[in-house]
Amino acid sequence: MADTALAENGPERPVISLDNGGDAAPPPDPRRWWGLVVIALAQLIVVLDMTIVNIALPSAQQDLGMTDGNRQWAVTAYTLAFGGLLLLGGRLGDLFGRKRSFIIGLIGFAGASALGGAATGPGMLFAARALQGVFAALLAPAALSLMTTTFTDPRERGKAFGVFGAIAGAGGAIGMLFGGFLTQYLDWRWCLYVNAPVAALAVTGAIVMLKDPGRRTGARLDILGAVLGTAGVLSIVYGFSEAESRDWYDTRVLTLLIGGVVILGIFSLWQTRARTPLLPLHIVKDRQRAGAYLTMALVTIAMFGVFLFLTYYLQGIKGWSPLKTGVAYLPMTACMIIGSTQISARLLQRVPARALIMPGLTLAAGGLAFLASMDVEATYLGHVLPGICMMGLGMGVTFMAAISTATSRVAPQEQGAASATLNTMQQVGGSVGTALLNTIAASATTDWLTDHRVNPAQQTMQAKAALAEATVHGYSVATWTSAGIMLLAAVVAGIFINAKAPGRQAGRAGSDREAGAVEAPVRAG
């Protein structure tokens, strides 16, 4: 396996070997499991903050006087900065140290959160959310890189990725629960304030428990690559965000999307010539990693919109409170943890990654089909609970295997770039999914009202009932689309991710070394 990795990455790009047989290896850090707790806590903050503000947004809008037109910036400002700066943030961690980037990211994120909680107007809140995204872009790749370089033993690595995958998948649902609780019983501002004490705890733990694997000395930051990469991703994410409120054929939307693709094309060309590229292209050219990146992008496209639709269904159609809605997602979180830590973590070293990813995505698609079949009269126990449990179990199995594949066999000094690429695919996928699925749902709702000749402006009981039915129909059409995208992700994983089980690869590498040891005296003789 080591020979294969060297052939893929070049003789000057050493890789992390998952097979230590016969090679001297440094003793593992005795504090590594406490370090995992710190890393997981930081990852939870980043993922949770993408959804916790959604629950608080109606209250924040009323308190700060936001208009319906500009309220989206409370979410978009964060995702734009986060997604656009991830490649740069990951490379900064490679160059100047992951532990340092991790701690700076946590401190900056906490400060930006406190600033947002103290906002006196919409502009101050939007600026704070953008600042949160900036520091999240530094923090997220550093967290994943630290975990990847800390856990190199295959068995321990599986357990660590199980925890990380569960948090990555369940963070959105946990954010809805916390957001509902804090908004209902305290104030929407605590959805932001709560990050400060949690980040402070994580910083303390990072200083004591985490060990920096090292940094590249003498290397320079690819300034032009940083500008091009950031501009390209920002343009695409912003374009999809604008498509949600504008038409897909709107001039601004098309300019942003096409411009972003062109800029990223120039960025890719420059990376082949840059002395210290922001994103070494061999990272994304590797078949296994490319498959994992594309799979995760498709999965986030399918999932992001569904969370939003289900939340609106429970609160808008069923009349549930924010807290009750958050509690409704808890079984999904539990299933994600089970799928990640009890199934995927135990099997990843024994079976190929696609043997976990493909069944996991198929199960998740089945859960989406369950949710897509709901109507206005659907019950939580009869429809919602089975659907979210199937999704949770499938996603738990999938995330851990996909994340492990996306970050394996990468040189230590390039772990930040690999981790940032994975995070970028998730961010872009989330932006695409939210815009695409919202557009599909809105169009389906409008078509239903037109076909049934219903005027939504009427205030009669019949008109309100018809509007609710049309809205649920729109959610259903979009969710069926999500199920199709999830199945497409399973097909992509089956085609691209074809590596054998890590345990078998290690065994084969060991056999090759034994054969070489036997042949050496013969050749010498």
Side-chain angles (χ1 to χ4, degrees):
M1 185 182 68
D3 294 340
T4 302
L6 284 174
E8 293 174 352
N9 294 284
E12 297 182 359
R13 296 188 181 100
V15 298
I16 297 175
S17 175
L18 298 182
D19 168 36
N20 293 323
D23 296 327
D29 187 347
R31 298 171 297 180
R32 62 195 179 281
W33 291 109
W34 283 109
L36 176 61
V37 173
V38 175
I39 294 169
L41 194 60
Q43 177 68 12
L44 179 61
I45 293 174
V46 172
V47 177
L48 178 149
D49 228 66
M50 285 188 278
T51 56
I52 192 171
V53 173
N54 288 339
I55 299 292
L57 189 54
S59 299
Q61 180 180 358
Q62 184 177 4
D63 190 18
L64 299 180
M66 285 183 267
T67 66
D68 290 343
N70 69 12
R71 66 182 178 183
Q72 64 163 331
W73 283 103
V75 177
T76 305
Y78 178 77
T79 57
L80 271 177
F82 190 11
L85 296 172
L86 269 166
L87 287 176
L88 177 59
R91 205 53 171 165
L92 288 174
D94 287 339
L95 296 178
F96 305 115
R98 282 62 171 273
K99 181 176 178 179
R100 179 181 299 177
S101 297
F102 184 83
I103 292 174
I104 292 174
L106 278 171
I107 295 173
F109 195 89
S113 299
L115 181 66
T120 56
M124 185 174 175
L125 177 63
F126 301 157
R129 290 287 287 164
L131 198 58
Q132 277 185 305
V134 170
F135 286 105
L138 187 65
L139 173 61
L144 185 53
S145 297
L146 283 168
M147 194 191 68
T148 303
T149 53
T150 298
F151 295 93
T152 55
D153 179 81
R155 289 167 295 183
E156 290 188 348
R157 186 185 180 95
K159 294 178 182 178
F161 270 106
V163 174
F164 194 87
I167 290 175
I174 295 173
M176 293 178 190
L177 174 62
F178 281 3
F181 177 84
L182 294 172
T183 302
Q184 188 165 327
Y185 290 104
L186 293 175
D187 185 82
W188 69 267
R189 297 178 184 274
W190 278 99
C191 292
L192 293 167
Y193 284 144
V194 71
N195 290 325
V198 177
L201 181 63
V203 168
T204 303
I207 294 173
V208 176
M209 300 296 176
L210 292 182
K211 182 179 179 181
D212 200 326
R215 57 178 178 170
R216 297 186 67 175
T217 57
R220 297 180 179 180
L221 181 64
D222 177 16
I223 301 297
L224 179 58
V227 172
L228 291 172
T230 300
V233 175
L234 273 173
S235 183
I236 290 176
V237 173
Y238 185 36
F240 277 106
S241 299
E242 285 291 284
E244 186 177 352
S245 57
R246 298 171 179 266
D247 189 85
W248 285 96
Y249 298 101
D250 181 83
T251 302
R252 177 185 293 185
V253 172
L254 290 176
T255 301
L256 287 168
L257 294 178
I258 296 174
V261 172
V262 171
I263 293 172
L264 288 181
I266 299 173
F267 166 78
S268 300
L269 181 62
W270 170 249
Q271 294 307 282
T272 63
R273 302 181 179 185
R275 182 178 179 183
T276 310
L278 185 71
L279 175 61
L281 292 184
H282 65 269
I283 289 178
V284 294
K285 286 181 178 179
D286 177 86
R287 176 173 180 162
Q288 313 304 321
R289 286 193 291 273
Y293 293 148
L294 186 54
T295 298
M296 289 298 286
L298 290 170
V299 168
T300 50
I301 288 174
M303 285 188 63
F304 263 60
V306 172
F307 281 141
L308 190 61
F309 298 148
L310 188 55
T311 299
Y312 280 137
Y313 176 83
L314 294 176
Q315 293 191 33
I317 304 300
K318 294 298 185 181
W320 288 19
S321 68
L323 179 58
K324 188 176 180 180
T325 301
V327 172
Y329 282 104
L330 285 181
M332 184 180 71
T333 303
C335 288
M336 280 186 174
I337 294 173
I338 292 171
S340 186
T341 61
Q342 301 305 311
I343 299 176
S344 196
R346 294 175 182 271
L347 295 178
L348 185 60
Q349 298 302 316
R350 303 177 184 178
V351 302
R354 68 176 174 183
L356 294 170
I357 297 174
M358 292 181 68
L361 293 178
T362 303
L363 181 62
L368 288 171
F370 230 103
L371 297 177
S373 66
M374 293 192 307
D375 56 22
V376 176
E377 302 300 327
T379 63
Y380 178 77
L381 293 178
H383 287 83
V384 178
L385 184 61
I388 63 175
C389 285
M390 291 172 67
M391 278 184 60
L393 193 62
M395 289 296 92
V397 172
T398 298
F399 278 145
M400 183 254 179
I403 292 173
S404 179
T405 302
T407 55
S408 65
R409 299 183 302 117
V410 180
Q413 68 269 21
E414 293 175 346
Q415 277 292 337
S419 302
T421 304
L422 176 63
N423 278 285
T424 300
M425 297 303 289
Q426 290 177 291
Q427 283 297 305
V428 173
S431 298
V432 172
T434 301
L436 176 64
L437 296 175
N438 272 346
T439 301
I440 292 173
S443 298
T445 299
T446 301
D447 291 343
W448 192 97
L449 291 172
T450 301
D451 292 342
H452 291 77
R453 299 181 180 180
V454 176
N455 182 3
Q458 293 179 351
Q459 297 299 315
T460 64
M461 293 294 294
Q462 292 83 354
K464 290 181 179 179
L467 179 59
E469 190 172 348
T471 302
V472 174
H473 171 73
Y475 295 164
S476 177
V477 172
T479 306
W480 278 118
T481 304
S482 294
I485 295 173
M486 196 71 78
L487 288 176
L488 176 61
V491 172
V492 168
I495 293 174
F496 284 90
I497 304 175
N498 62 352
K500 295 182 178 180
R504 293 185 179 181
Q505 291 179 342
R508 185 180 65 182
S511 299
D512 290 344
R513 280 197 304 272
E514 291 175 3
V518 172
E519 292 172 3
V522 175
R523 288 194 300 268

